[in-house]
Amino acid sequence: MKRIGGLWGQIVSFENLLLAFRKARRGKLGRSDVAAFALDLETELLRLQAELVAGEYRPGAYRQFSVYERKPRLIAAAPFRDRVVHHAVMNLIEPPIDRRFIFHSYACRLGKGAHRAVRCYQRWARRYPYVLKLDIAAYFPSIDRQRLAGKLRHFIKDAPVLRLLDRIIATGPAPKAPPPRFAGDDLLTPLEHPTAIPIGNLTSQFFANLYLDAFDHWMQERTDARAYLRYVDDMVVLGDDKAKLGTLREAVRARLADERLCLHPRKAEIYRTRDGLDLLGYRVFPDFVRLRDENGHRFARRLRGLAGAYARYRIDWEQVGPSVQSWIGHAKQADTAGLRRELLKAAVFRRDRLDPPADVAGGGRRSSVLAQR
């Protein structure tokens, strides 16, 4: 396979950095760090360009916070100027590498996404009676940084680009829990194999797809899996024979160990497709789709929070609409017409006074950060 080169000059061009800035600021116009960067945009981009060209660019410290989506997740947010760099490098390296991924890898790819993954699974569920659902334990915290750097070298030969990517990988926050141990490991292995990429980086989404690309091709080309798809670390394989799927599960377990990854001990089960499968926020049956119960409850709580923040002038309507429309777009993929009517009918957005009280000055800026989280 021919490796990609000649990217560096395009990555550090002013035009590409300007495009990267415009992408990085989407949905974040109310944030103070974005406003400060934009206030002297040309100077900031020229300074960033000079640091990159001279090899002096160093990523800043991450801001970490937790979110709860069925389980707690630690999010690491890079400084805004680093996000500009992430977009700048992804603008050039992602398109040619993405074309080499398997068709049925659905996460964070143009023309893919969770809804298409669910529709694909449902088509297969009408054909196959059994499904093996797999999940990798602590996927992002378990990714081996050295192995990831090696995989990037499998696709890219441009040395300055690789040095930049190495720096981005190496400066992510360390995992909170110790990494899994494998046969042959000793006390020095964690030092020799540092792990974890941050949930929240644009680059991390791409790295998560790339890290399992060789595994995807193995599944598709070297096993009997004819109906296989992956969304980040959620994987499903459908088949006619339950025993064969059980055998495949053990082969997958061994193959993932080669990547220093482990299957989740409670999330590697075989189900009948006619009984429905929990997949990407839905309960998917061969002939219909339901929204998971906790999704509706979570959105109801979210609506109440938005209504309260709106009433207290903590947010404006421009911040309410996108959040509501995003959930509607997700819910419409399932049989939820009645649920949507009930939840939206109960939501009341009202302000009892025309002008915001004096003690909420700057509230819009704080609310935009909360909405981002």
Side-chain angles (χ1 to χ4, degrees), residues 303-319:
L303 266 182
R304 291 193 294 271
L306 288 171
Y310 180 79
R312 296 189 299 274
Y313 283 86
R314 301 297 180 185
I315 60 174
D316 294 321
W317 185 252
E318 289 75 13
Q319 294 162 281

Side-chain angles (χ1 to χ4, degrees), residues 4 93-103 105 107-110 112 155 206 209-210 213:
I4 306 162
I93 74 168
E94 185 171 18
I97 295 177
D98 182 271
R99 288 194 289 269
R100 302 178 187 182
F101 293 160
I102 67 166
F103 181 85
S105 173
C108 305
R109 298 179 66 198
L110 186 65
K112 302 293 182 178
F155 290 97
F206 173 73
N209 282 339
L210 181 139
D213 176 62

Side-chain angles (χ1 to χ4, degrees), residues 133-136 228-236 267 279-280:
K133 188 172 188 292
L134 304 165
D135 185 286
I136 295 173
Y228 163 74
L229 68 81
R230 176 170 68 89
Y231 188 96
V232 192
D233 61 327
D234 287 328
M235 300 171 283
V236 295
K267 298 180 181 179
L279 183 66
L280 304 177

